[in-house]
Amino acid sequence: MPARFTFGGDEHLFVECSDEMSLEAFFKSLSMAKGVRESAIRGITEICPANASFQIKFDPDLIKPDDLLREVKAIEGAAEKAEPVMTTRIVEIPVFYNDPWTHETLMRFRERHQEPTGTDLDYAARINGYDAVKDFISAHAGSPWFVSMVGFVAGLPFMYQMVERQRQIEVPKYLRPRTDTPRLTVGHGGCFGCIYSVRGAGGYQMFGITPMPIFDPTQSTSYLRDFMVFFRPGDIVKFRPIDRDGYDQAVEDVDKGRFAPPIYEVSFDLRQYQADIDGYNAKLEGALHGH
Amino acid sequence: MAIKVLHHGLSTTVQDLGRPGYFHLGIPVGGAMDRYAMRAANRLVGNDEGAAGLEAVFMGPKLEFLDDALIAVTGADLPVRIDGELRPGWTALKVRAGQTVSFDFLKSGARICIAVSGGIDVPEALGSRSTYVIGALGGYKGRAIAAGDELPVGAGPMASEGKSVAEELRRQPGMPAELRVLPGLYWDRLTEAAKSNFFADQWKVAPEADRMGYRFRGGRKLEFVERKQPFGAGSDPSNIVDSCYPYGSIQVPGGTEPIILHRDAVSGGGYFMLGTVISADMDLIAQLQPHTPTQFVEVTMDQALAARADRQTLLSRLRAALS
């Protein structure tokens, strides 16, 4: 599908590689965004990759919008031919599913939900065809996720689960967004999972919470000293379910500066992945377990 | 040099001209909502235009100056008093050590910028002193100021008092406010009737209007061209596969209430956008009070660029007048 180009006012060019989500669209968008960055076109001030699209901020005093459009369009062909391969990292993130804090919050905003009588997990499990919440949690934690966008608020990852489309978890967003979401809530909306990096408004269904901070403006968290934002597009995430004791222990470890998330460098090849999704995922996860 | 906060007003934050370069991580540019007013205030007191000042919305703070300073209050018409004495806005005013600066009720507009000679000297975070409250980043301890805070002030060239910005150089949104919009982004998702209704209807600023975004009510509900929703977007016709949001872009969740994203915008999400307020009019949004009648005016890219040039001319005149 050819990309769609449109202007956001006089300072933004918006490029939609596909109107539906897929890893192919993500790779094309990331590859075009990279091509734009490398081309160092005068007047471009920011490049923001998203799931299946990206946005360029530019200064129209330095480059005419039509000239920018022409230069970016010229990059599309090369991006389509680029190898869908990247070196990235896989990280294991503990999740306390069905925790008391998101539960308290979802009860507080129940009148904004599609199904006010149950919980977000009950609802998501049922509409995705799982008989029991525990089976749904197994599916959520059972396959890795690709970070396909970082944003919304500071450092929040949007994640796309690495399974066939039929197995993708899909849930609607809340009927009306909440005004509150606990920090580090693991949520889901449309086909995307997320981790809320800070406390605030949100519309995704809430499934659990992680003890692992992913944004720290004070940069005092042991693994965020170099930069306050943990995630980058292309990161691969594997969730590991933990219980209350595991959660409390991890929070204490974070506070004492001794929490170290397992992170390993891996290479990802979209074609190999597509040829054998489960086999490829098992190989990726192997990196987390030392083989 | 320091300023003691006696009362914070409604919400008063340290702001400069923002923190570009981190939107791809969800950290917005931030900075003064009304950049023109912040530039003018800084110029009046002899600062660089990018020095950090205070931005207050609807209600002014009450501040005790621990040292002599020159201040200027620009933007909304929120009458300023020094030790109780009424003083003019858009003017360089001398404040002596021990004096208190306070404000009357708001007369028009929504936000003031308070510049202090030397600038508010909080540490820079990612290249800016602007407060990004949601991220607890920048400004005074990453939050709005509160009673008891002591705001550090830099050493600065002390300009002379009395300098003032002429009436015709003070830019305000008008009544009803007019905001120029370049249609685009997901504009074609709307029916022809919905497209013309959006510009024909008069909208009003809703109470939910802040540094992240301004919501509007009162126009007709927008109707969408029928389609099968693309995979991953979500079932509502106003949903898209989550993408980046341009500053100034107008999203309309459910097709009912348009929201214009502003300086502290979320960087992306899953709602369609019909177009974008042009850069020349972003400052005007900052001065809209809730319930202000607002008309959206359709423009072309050429008109947007012409408006941008006009605004730069105005800024050049302001600089010339205050040099």
Side-chain angles (χ1 to χ4, degrees):
Chain A
M1 174 184 169
R4 186 174 69 86
F5 298 83
T6 174
F7 286 105
D10 49 320
E11 293 188 337
H12 308 87
L13 175 62
F14 186 92
V15 185
E16 188 184 51
C17 292
S18 171
D19 66 358
E20 62 174 34
M21 183 56 195
S22 65
L23 279 180
E24 291 83 346
F26 165 77
F27 264 85
K28 181 176 170 185
S29 139
L30 199 65
S31 170
M32 274 192 82
K34 185 162 163 271
V36 171
R37 189 172 299 109
E38 284 165 0
S39 67
I41 300 167
R42 180 178 141 86
I44 291 181
T45 57
E46 299 200 53
I47 301 167
C48 302
N51 299 302
S53 59
F54 67 101
Q55 170 180 304
I56 294 167
K57 191 159 193 280
F58 67 98
D59 180 348
D61 304 333
L62 297 178
I63 186 165
K64 288 196 185 115
D66 284 341
D67 292 343
L68 175 73
L69 181 61
R70 198 162 40 243
E71 295 210 32
V72 174
K73 274 184 171 172
I75 287 163
E76 186 180 2
E80 269 173 334
K81 285 186 214 100
E83 298 270 288
V85 175
M86 68 192 301
T87 298
T88 183
R89 51 186 193 161
I90 186 166
V91 54
E92 185 177 79
I93 296 196
V95 182
F96 180 17
Y97 288 95
N98 212 357
D99 66 287
W101 303 283
T102 59
H103 188 268
E104 185 277 329
T105 308
L106 66 89
M107 292 310 287
R108 195 150 35 97
F109 291 99
R110 217 64 210 132
E111 90 291 354
R112 301 182 184 217
H113 197 271
Q114 289 82 354
E115 209 171 79
T117 51
T119 67
D120 292 10
L121 271 169
D122 294 338
Y123 174 69
R126 189 176 58 73
I127 65 166
N128 282 283
Y130 293 91
D131 291 335
V133 163
K134 70 173 173 36
D135 299 332
F136 177 77
I137 291 172
S138 296
H140 191 269
S143 301
W145 300 68
F146 214 86
V147 175
S148 49
M149 174 174 174
V150 177
F152 180 62
V153 290
L156 177 150
F158 288 83
M159 296 172 291
Y160 183 73
Q161 197 168 22
M162 297 164 67
V163 290
E164 303 85 344
R165 187 169 283 187
Q166 314 79 271
R167 284 164 62 198
Q168 291 270 340
I169 295 166
E170 270 204 284
V171 290
K173 292 148 202 168
Y174 270 46
L175 295 173
R176 284 182 300 126
R178 296 176 304 273
T179 52
D180 192 19
T181 309
R183 174 173 166 264
L184 299 176
T185 290
V186 175
H188 200 100
C191 71
F192 296 105
C194 83
I195 302 171
Y196 284 87
S197 52
V198 295
R199 184 176 175 181
Y204 278 19
Q205 308 281 337
M206 297 181 290
F207 297 158
I209 201 160
T210 173
M212 179 183 151
I214 57 169
F215 170 70
D216 176 9
T218 68
Q219 290 179 252
S220 53
T221 306
S222 54
Y223 52 90
L224 295 173
R225 288 209 180 103
D226 290 342
F227 194 61
M228 60 182 74
V229 169
F230 181 75
F231 283 110
R232 313 191 269 260
D235 281 343
I236 295 171
V237 170
K238 182 71 171 54
F239 292 121
R240 180 169 60 86
I242 53 170
D243 59 11
R244 178 64 193 257
D245 287 346
Y247 176 85
D248 290 343
Q249 182 62 54
V251 166
E252 193 188 321
D253 289 347
V254 168
D255 288 347
K256 296 203 164 135
R258 59 181 183 220
F259 184 86
I263 304 174
Y264 296 93
E265 193 177 284
V266 290
S267 73
F268 180 82
D269 184 321
L270 182 61
R271 292 156 306 189
Q272 287 180 20
Y273 162 82
Q274 280 161 333
D276 173 17
I277 291 179
D278 288 338
Y280 197 79
N281 285 346
K283 223 174 73 190
L284 285 174
E285 281 174 47
L288 286 171
H289 307 116
H291 28 81
Chain B
M1 287 273 286
I3 300 170
K4 192 166 173 191
V5 179
L6 302 178
H7 193 279
H8 61 269
L10 187 64
S11 173
T12 305
T13 52
V14 175
Q15 299 293 343
D16 54 21
L17 295 180
R19 177 181 290 118
Y22 302 95
F23 206 43
H24 66 290
L25 299 173
I27 300 172
V29 67
M33 290 278 283
D34 186 343
R35 299 262 204 266
Y36 184 81
M38 187 58 91
R39 288 177 193 276
N42 272 322
R43 286 245 159 205
L44 281 165
V45 301
N47 290 345
D48 288 343
E49 288 178 7
L54 295 173
E55 176 184 280
V57 59
F58 302 143
M59 231 177 108
K62 192 170 182 189
L63 305 170
E64 183 188 342
F65 280 68
L66 305 183
D67 306 273
D68 290 358
L70 198 65
I71 69 162
V73 179
T74 60
D77 188 1
L78 188 69
V80 55
R81 290 180 184 272
I82 299 177
D83 271 358
E85 190 194 332
L86 201 58
R87 306 298 304 275
W90 295 86
T91 302
L93 308 170
K94 185 98 184 172
V95 184
R96 304 219 169 271
Q99 286 192 309
T100 298
V101 171
S102 62
F103 296 86
D104 285 1
F105 290 115
L106 185 65
K107 286 184 167 169
S108 69
R111 283 182 174 77
I112 51 166
C113 296
I114 308 168
V116 185
S117 49
I120 304 292
D121 194 23
V122 293
E124 284 194 353
L126 301 179
S128 165
R129 295 184 170 85
S130 290
T131 318
Y132 171 43
V133 171
I134 287 178
L137 182 69
Y140 185 85
K141 299 184 177 174
R143 58 166 170 80
I145 62 168
D149 290 348
E150 278 200 16
L151 307 175
V153 174
M158 187 71 84
S160 51
E161 65 182 312
K163 207 179 260 188
S164 184
V165 174
E167 279 292 341
E168 74 267 18
L169 291 177
R170 304 178 190 180
R171 194 161 175 251
Q172 295 297 330
M175 180 68 75
E178 285 192 359
L179 297 176
R180 288 168 288 188
V181 174
L182 182 66
L185 302 168
Y186 292 84
W187 177 241
D188 288 338
R189 293 282 300 111
L190 296 177
T191 63
E192 290 307 313
K195 288 177 182 176
S196 55
N197 291 348
F198 177 73
F199 288 113
D201 289 350
Q202 190 167 84
W203 299 86
K204 280 198 166 115
V205 178
E208 302 90 343
D210 58 23
R211 292 185 46 84
M212 292 180 76
Y214 261 65
R215 189 183 283 258
F216 293 81
R217 282 181 191 155
R220 280 166 281 186
K221 183 175 175 177
L222 300 180
E223 309 246 310
F224 296 87
V225 177
E226 275 194 43
R227 70 163 174 180
K228 182 178 178 290
Q229 280 295 99
F231 176 79
S235 49
D236 192 275
S238 67
N239 290 164
I240 57 168
V241 166
D242 297 53
S243 74
C244 299
Y245 289 155
Y247 296 105
S249 63
I250 305 174
Q251 57 176 252
V252 196
T256 55
E257 296 180 352
I259 301 168
I260 305 176
L261 295 180
H262 220 275
R263 310 287 186 209
D264 281 357
V266 292
S267 70
Y271 292 113
F272 99 109
M273 303 150 277
L274 57 78
T276 309
V277 174
I278 63 174
S279 62
D281 288 354
M282 287 294 282
D283 286 347
L284 297 181
I285 299 170
Q287 299 301 350
L288 300 180
Q289 293 177 1
H291 313 301
T292 306
T294 304
Q295 198 75 43
F296 295 109
V297 179
E298 181 173 3
V299 294
T300 62
M301 179 63 91
D302 284 345
Q303 289 170 316
L305 295 176
R308 185 181 175 92
D310 286 348
R311 190 178 169 285
Q312 282 163 347
T313 305
L314 186 73
L315 190 56
S316 304
R317 287 174 53 209
L318 174 82
R319 286 170 178 156
L322 297 180
S323 66

